[in-house]
Amino acid sequence: MKKKLPWTLMLGSLLLSLAACGGSDEAANDPGGAGSEAGERKLSGSILAVGSTAMQPLVDQAGQTFMTQAPYQELTVQVQGGGSGTGLTQVSEGQADIGNSDVFGEEKLEAAQAAELVDHQVAVVAITAVVNPAVTIDDLSKEQMVDIFTGAVKNWKELGGEDQEIVIVNRPASSGTRATFETFALGQSKLPDLQGSIQEDSSGTVKKLVAETPGAIGYLALSYLGDDSIKPVNYDGVQATVENVQNGSYPVWAYQHMYTKGEPSEAVQAFLDYMVSPEVQEGDVVELGYIPVSGMQVTRDAAGNVSKN
Amino acid sequence: MGQMGKDAALNQGVKNRKRREKHYWEDWIGRIYTSICVVVLLVVIVSIVFFVSSKGLATFLENGVRLREFFTGTRWSPDESFGALPFITGSFAVTLLAALIAGPLSLCAALFMTEILPGRGKRILQPAVELLSGIPSVVYGFIGLTVIVPFIRDYIGGQGFGILAGCLVLSVMILPTITSIMADALASLRGGLRESSLALGATRWQTIYRVVIPTVLPALLTGIVLGMARAFGEALAVQMVIGNAPHIPSSLTESAATLTSTITLSMGNTAMGSVHNNALWSMALVLLAMTFVFVILVRLLERRNRI
């Protein structure tokens, strides 16, 4: 009996864990059960928004002020990062109320999953190429940028700069910022990573590396500019400014989406309305370096077609 | 008198039985509690292995990525081609180089603490080395990014990022693991061996490298293997200094990538169930398998140690 005990334990636990996993994907895909309480929700309870780290500061700050307002004091807004993919996955599986994403859901999810989601655009982010301050170039045409990011040009002197190797500081292939930059600045999608390019997963690190590495080029959201440690580069002669984005002359920008699965509940709808209210659009959005979606004179659909309002 | 004796004996008997029962229950409570803990542990471990395996194997079973492509392909371009060889080589390269750097350093530190200056040396060096294990990996990564990378770029050449920076950061991170295991091994040397060697007229160094080290060699290697396991699984610090280009680098100072750095870089941005995401889980499965190999190695070394 003594000898048999460990075996029975092992067998028992094996059976238990197999039963626990049991091939049921819902159970396996709910790490930590970050689910929202199902069923009817009055204007009390909690709203869980998960996803894009680029949007986190905005949603977080707006959520804080939202909770202090009289009608919504019973509500709590929780904001978590994890990336656009995580946000879209969790909202389409019903684990989060809101999925924050800086790309259209169609780009990450299966068509059937994306069709269930309702898009709420709350802000715009513009992205500009930035170089190390020692690089003497201030303006790059679209063709030159394509040459740089596809590896056709490897040295700044080929573009009229100093004799200095180009070091590309990229975001990972799955990043929303990278997808936006490749689609609207280079007109390509899913460029392969070049030998010797550097990938970092946060804009803060990209900024640091471009500032320190001789000959480096990367791309950042406008909110990361504002000091002299890096130098923004004009795109086809157009400077990345809020005005140029809003009037449609600067093309490299993306919406910040807050997706819900189907029509949102009353509480979630109240929060989404608050996000597009003048208070947030002219306050938090501008203050944190995003561009108000209310001021856009152009709109863009999921296929990338831009039209004048 | 007799009555009193009988009573006393009866009382004694009741007391004994009570005490026996108490022991009996205590025994059972202990046994049940321990069993529950063991079952919970096993359930957790088996569940994790099952979860990672099911996700990781889906790449090959459901998405139709070929095993051969995954393990020998060098082109990593999500949604099209899934060659994970650059990451596998990167992981092995930084791990082996880190072990090569940290192994000798740890051995010397452990010898210093046990053979050369057992009292004071241990009091000073041990806390110093153990301090290293309390520093979070993001701090190591950031120091690597702000100190080691620019240093390599300016004085050695290349981009600064790459396998060299990665293995330097890792070697410091695994020092405490290896040192403490080696020091324990050296301290547990069977009595009499050291003294006999010295009594035969061997010098201290002869004793160390002819008697002490060969005797505890398997335990020393265990330390190195466990250090390697830690290096193989470290993600954050490596991700910050290795550069993360999915290619096999042409030099030690060119941007490279490891399994762990690729997983941390992309996991959050990919949707669950997509091919890209599944491929990342496959990499996690490779890491799990490698950890398993390291554990088996340690077991083998322990077995050799007993003989």
Side-chain angles (χ1 to χ4, degrees), chain B residues 231-244:
Chain B
F232 206 78
E234 172 55 44
L236 199 58
V238 178
Q239 187 212 302
M240 290 170 88
V241 299
I242 197 143
N244 305 309

Side-chain angles (χ1 to χ4, degrees), chain A residues 9 13 17 21 28 82-86 89 108 172 174 190 193-201 208-209 212-213, chain B residues 39 42-43 46-47 50-51 79 146 153 159 161 239-240 243-249 254-255 265-266 268-269 271-272:
Chain A
L9 274 181
S13 52
S17 47
C21 286
S84 297
T86 307
T89 309
K108 293 257 181 206
S174 51
K190 307 214 162 124
D193 290 295
L194 300 172
Q195 180 100 22
S197 66
I198 293 161
Q199 288 188 57
E200 288 297 339
D201 68 343
K208 182 177 156 65
L209 292 186
E212 289 173 2
T213 313
Chain B
V39 168
L42 283 171
V43 167
V46 173
S47 308
F50 179 83
F51 182 66
D79 304 331
T146 39
R153 190 174 54 226
Q159 298 177 320
F161 289 89
Q239 187 212 302
M240 290 170 88
N244 305 309
H247 296 280
I248 297 176
E254 191 185 67
S255 179
L265 208 59
S266 312
N269 286 318
M272 266 283 193

Side-chain angles (χ1 to χ4, degrees), chain B residues 123-139:
Chain B
R123 263 207 307 280
I124 296 165
L125 199 58
Q126 195 162 17
V129 171
E130 279 168 0
L131 259 185
L132 290 177
S133 63
I135 299 171
S137 50
V138 66
V139 173

Side-chain angles (χ1 to χ4, degrees), chain B residues 162-195:
Chain B
I163 290 173
L164 181 61
C167 73
L168 285 174
V169 169
L170 277 179
S171 58
V172 180
M173 289 182 79
I174 63 177
L175 266 180
T177 312
I178 307 184
T179 308
S180 55
I181 293 172
M182 283 185 170
D184 288 347
L186 290 169
S188 68
L189 187 66
R190 273 205 303 280
L193 272 178
R194 200 177 284 126
E195 293 76 3

Side-chain angles (χ1 to χ4, degrees), chain A residues 50-57 82-88 99-108 119-127 171 174-181 183-184 201 203 221 224 253-259 290 300, chain B residues 268-269:
Chain A
V50 181
S52 166
T53 41
M55 290 170 68
Q56 214 176 335
S84 297
T86 307
L88 289 164
N100 298 331
S101 167
D102 38 19
V103 292
F104 277 97
E106 287 84 344
E107 293 177 38
K108 293 257 181 206
D119 186 5
H120 310 267
Q121 296 163 357
V122 296
V124 166
V125 161
I127 293 156
R171 299 291 303 278
S174 51
S175 138
T177 307
R178 174 164 166 178
T180 305
F181 183 77
T183 310
F184 301 110
D201 68 343
S203 294
Y224 286 91
W253 54 268
Y255 290 113
Q256 306 290 285
H257 309 265
M258 291 173 83
Y259 279 102
Y290 302 84
R300 187 195 280 152
Chain B
N269 286 318

